Amino acid sequence: MALSTGNNKIKTAIFISGMGSNLKSLIKFSKLKKSPIIIKMIISNNSKAKGLQYSKIYKIKKKVFDFKNALSEKKIINELKKNDIDLICLAGFMKILSKSFIKNFKGKILNIHPSLLPKYKGLKTHEKAIKNKDKYSGCTVHFVNSKLDSGKIINQ
């Protein structure tokens, strides 16, 4: 994945499951002249995800898949490749991708995780931080690998 130059922006798919607050921020960022990305697709595992409304508002292609088996994953991979997607960003996406899926997009999947990794991998990160009386909390952007929330950290 090369950095973008001129109109050569990185074709990005955003995966969501819910409200789409991170998606909205990513869309706004993508509209900036200096942004290296262009959002070509919104993909969700939840047909009722409120974030899907942004596809209509910003005229971005959307697809809903069940992510339940290898066949549906194959359909998703085909759709991403058909649309020349270079980068996938998991933004509030509540499904774990298979090793096979990750291998197909090795080094091209980012996740926005709501804790300062390596602390609080997985779900209920805010509850864990409160329960442990943490003085600081935050989020982590990291590369996705086959181990849950364990990929190389990009920023916190």
Side-chain angles (χ1 to χ4, degrees), residues 6-137:
N7 290 336
N8 238 359
K9 296 199 176 236
I10 301 166
K11 295 181 197 92
T12 304
I14 312 295
F15 284 32
I16 65 167
S17 293
M19 297 297 292
S21 53
N22 285 324
L23 167 63
K24 186 177 181 185
S25 295
L26 287 165
I27 291 170
K28 285 183 172 183
F29 172 72
S30 75
K31 301 289 182 194
L32 299 175
K33 195 173 188 172
K34 68 175 183 169
S35 173
I37 65 169
I38 181 168
I39 299 172
K40 299 297 264 179
M41 298 187 76
I42 300 168
I43 292 182
S44 183
N45 63 312
N46 174 8
S47 62
K48 293 177 174 59
K50 289 199 180 352
L52 290 171
Q53 68 184 334
Y54 295 117
S55 71
K56 219 176 252 173
I57 296 167
Y58 294 99
K59 295 173 179 51
I60 301 169
K61 186 178 195 173
K62 76 173 178 188
K63 290 279 184 177
V64 177
F65 293 98
D66 65 13
F67 284 84
K68 286 187 176 141
N69 56 40
L71 181 63
S72 64
E73 253 188 30
K74 195 170 255 186
K75 286 180 187 174
I76 300 159
I77 291 167
N78 288 339
E79 191 67 33
L80 293 168
K81 290 187 175 182
K82 188 170 80 179
N83 286 277
D84 296 320
I85 297 299
D86 300 313
L87 179 69
I88 297 169
C89 183
L90 309 180
F93 185 65
M94 303 305 290
K95 282 281 189 191
I96 295 173
L97 299 170
S98 74
K99 288 179 183 179
S100 167
F101 186 96
I102 293 167
K103 201 184 282 184
N104 266 278
F105 292 93
K106 190 172 171 25
K108 296 179 179 184
I109 307 174
L110 307 179
N111 184 37
I112 301 169
H113 183 78
S115 82
L116 297 172
L117 292 173
K119 250 186 170 181
Y120 312 133
K121 295 175 182 181
L123 302 173
K124 300 187 183 199
T125 57
H126 303 300
E127 289 174 25
K128 292 172 187 172
I130 291 166
K131 182 181 171 207
N132 290 322
K133 298 182 170 92
D134 288 358
K135 288 184 179 181
Y136 301 100
S137 188

